[in-house]
Amino acid sequence: MIQELDEQLDRYWGWLRDRTGLQDMGDWIEITTPYLDRHNDCIQIYVKRQNSGLLLTDDGYTYDDLVLSGCSLDSPKRQSILKTMLNGFGVTLEGNALQVSASTANFPLSKHNLVQAMLAVNDLFFLASPSVTSLFLEDVTAWLDLCAVRYAPNVKFSGKSGFDHRFDFVIPKSPSEPERIVRTVNKPTRETAQNLVFSWIDVGESREPGTQAFAILNDAEQSIGGGVVDAMRSYGLSPVPWSDRDEVRERLAA
């Protein structure tokens, strides 16, 4: 199993390198990544030298795109959500730009964190829908509380790659169940599935033997493609559509 996962990681690194592009823009270098935003456009970041290190930024794209798409982030609640989300990745908001400072030594980790923060903030677009009255994460949290599930929220684990990966909940081991880690997925797509699969592959080996990973998928606003569920299952994840959440109630509460 370890050898198989090593091979999968090697394939991932190759895919990431082959689909990453660089363009010299004078003082800045534009990096085009293979990660897609909700418009199916490749996410781009910009890097320049700053003092003895490097500055990485999205140049305001993520924040401005949300606002232009009708998702205001002015309310105290949404600003609090945004700040908490960015803090989890070590990213700051300067004006409308997401940015992080890096050294040449930790540049890969800083780049990874900025891209992951952009993907997470991009997902806030779904707050713009008038039919959404609360964050999906809040709904899941309320349900776990109702089910008397013992959990620690908003946890980060270091993976084999050295990158940190954030999960929404970790449920400690019990006499009848192993450790369980949980990620909520507000918009289940092929891209979000790939991102979660990589996080689990990278983190899985560092957790306790038998640790289980659950992905709670929001199917309230859209149906979930079979490819998303199959991809997660093939790598040992347990995908749980929100409409089927009671099927795992006992496994999580034990």
Side-chain angles (χ1 to χ4, degrees), residues 229-247:
V229 171
D230 291 342
M232 292 183 179
R233 285 178 177 163
S234 66
Y235 287 96
L237 283 153
S238 295
V240 182
W242 181 237
S243 58
D244 296 333
R245 59 191 180 278
D246 285 337
E247 295 182 7

Side-chain angles (χ1 to χ4, degrees), residues 85-145:
M85 184 178 291
L86 295 180
N87 286 345
F89 294 103
V91 172
T92 61
L93 182 67
E94 300 295 334
N96 289 355
L98 307 186
Q99 68 180 47
V100 62
S101 295
S103 65
T104 53
N106 69 7
F107 170 79
L109 178 59
S110 297
K111 171 185 171 292
H112 171 81
N113 285 340
L114 178 58
V115 171
Q116 295 304 307
M118 292 172 67
L119 288 168
V121 173
N122 179 76
D123 202 36
L124 291 177
F125 168 75
F126 299 97
L127 290 176
S129 171
S131 63
V132 177
T133 58
S134 66
L135 282 173
F136 182 51
L137 177 58
E138 289 181 348
D139 291 338
V140 176
T141 302
W143 177 71
L144 292 176
D145 291 339

Side-chain angles (χ1 to χ4, degrees), residues 73-91:
L73 297 173
D74 292 338
S75 73
K77 180 179 179 180
R78 295 188 181 187
Q79 281 293 313
S80 176
I81 291 168
L82 179 62
K83 182 178 180 180
T84 300
M85 184 178 291
L86 295 180
N87 286 345
F89 294 103
V91 172

Side-chain angles (χ1 to χ4, degrees), residues 33-44 61-62 65 118-119 122-123 126 187 189 191-192:
T33 78
Y35 297 105
L36 303 178
D37 62 17
R38 69 178 187 281
H39 305 296
N40 285 325
D41 293 328
C42 291
I43 284 180
Q44 295 177 312
Y61 170 79
T62 310
D65 182 57
M118 292 172 67
L119 288 168
N122 179 76
D123 202 36
F126 299 97
K187 185 184 179 185
T189 64
E191 287 72 31
T192 55

Side-chain angles (χ1 to χ4, degrees), residues 149-213:
V149 175
R150 300 167 296 112
Y151 62 83
N154 194 29
V155 292
K156 282 201 304 186
F157 299 125
S158 293
K160 181 179 178 180
S161 65
F163 292 156
D164 289 336
H165 301 274
R166 184 185 61 82
F167 289 85
D168 296 308
F169 310 96
V170 60
I171 304 170
K173 180 180 179 181
S174 72
S176 59
E177 292 288 341
E179 178 185 61
R180 289 138 289 173
I181 59 178
V182 181
R183 173 84 66 82
T184 61
V185 182
N186 193 34
K187 185 184 179 185
T189 64
R190 185 181 66 177
E191 287 72 31
T192 55
Q194 289 175 340
N195 186 40
L196 180 52
V197 163
F198 170 65
S199 294
W200 169 236
I201 290 175
D202 200 25
V203 163
E205 289 185 39
S206 66
R207 305 310 302 159
E208 296 180 5
T211 292
Q212 297 176 354

